[in-house]
Amino acid sequence: VIISFAIVSLILWKTYEFFQHFKDEERNKMENWSFAQTELVNSSTNTNLNLTLKILNSNTSTPMIVIDKEGNLSSTKNINENKIEDPEYVNKLIEIFKSENKPIEIKYQGKVYSTIYYGNSPLLNKLKYYPLALMLIVVLFGAVIFFFYSSNKNATQNKLWSGMAKETAHQIGTPL
C-alpha cells in the first residue's frame, strides 16, 4: 500500500510538471503568434509574408480573442462563431482567459496596437482532470484492499466463534 501510494504520488507530481511545461509551450506559441501579428502590422507591401502567415494560421487548438486598442473585438480563433456575436459572452470569455493566462499585448511603434486574450487548449483542459481520475483509482484501490482485509478478519472471527461453539457443545455433550 505504501509503495503504491509513493508511485501514485510520483505520477501526480510528474503530471503537474508536464502540465506546467505544456502551459509554458502554449504561452510560447501565443507569443510567437503575437510577434507574427506585429510583423504583419509592420510589414510593407513588398515584404514576403509566407512565414508570418504560416505562423498566424498554425494555431488550430488554442482559443483566443484579439481586442484592438479601442476595446473592440478585432478577431477570434478556435471559438464558436455563433456565440461570438454576443458581447456578454465575449466579456465572460475574456475574464475566463484572463484568469487562465496573462494577456499578450501587440505593440506598434511603442504603443499598444491590440491585446490577445487566450485560453487553455482542449487538451490542456482535459489534462486538468487526469490527477483527479488517478486519485479516484487510488481511492477505489484502497477501498478494495480495506474491504478484503475487513472481510478476511470477519471470516476468521466467524471461524473462531464457530469452533468455540462446537467445542462448547462437545464438552457439554449436546450435538449441534
Side-chain angles (χ1 to χ4, degrees), residues 120-133:
N120 294 333
S121 68
L123 178 61
L124 198 56
N125 285 331
K126 289 175 187 173
L127 279 175
K128 286 181 189 176
Y129 300 110
Y130 176 73
L132 294 175

Side-chain angles (χ1 to χ4, degrees), residues 32-45:
N32 289 340
W33 196 92
S34 73
F35 293 140
Q37 185 74 25
T38 303
E39 195 64 31
L40 182 66
V41 169
N42 292 334
S43 67
S44 64
T45 54

Side-chain angles (χ1 to χ4, degrees), residues 4 8 11-12 129-145:
S4 64
V8 168
I11 290 171
L12 288 174
Y129 300 110
Y130 176 73
L132 294 175
L134 192 59
M135 289 303 292
L136 179 64
I137 290 169
V138 168
V139 167
L140 291 175
F141 180 69
V144 167
I145 290 172

Side-chain angles (χ1 to χ4, degrees), residues 69-136:
K69 59 186 170 190
E70 285 86 32
N72 300 319
L73 181 65
S74 176
S75 67
T76 63
K77 191 111 169 143
N78 304 318
I79 298 175
N80 187 340
E81 294 294 327
N82 298 329
K83 292 183 177 181
I84 208 67
E85 300 296 325
D86 181 15
E88 188 175 314
Y89 175 76
V90 172
N91 289 334
K92 285 181 185 176
L93 211 50
I94 288 173
E95 290 303 315
I96 291 170
F97 290 171
K98 279 183 189 178
S99 69
E100 290 177 352
N101 299 296
K102 184 180 174 193
I104 299 173
E105 295 178 338
I106 299 174
K107 295 185 178 180
Y108 176 65
Q109 296 178 347
K111 295 180 183 176
V112 176
Y113 176 75
S114 59
T115 305
I116 301 171
Y117 298 95
Y118 69 100
N120 294 333
S121 68
L123 178 61
L124 198 56
N125 285 331
K126 289 175 187 173
L127 279 175
K128 286 181 189 176
Y129 300 110
Y130 176 73
L132 294 175
L134 192 59
M135 289 303 292
L136 179 64

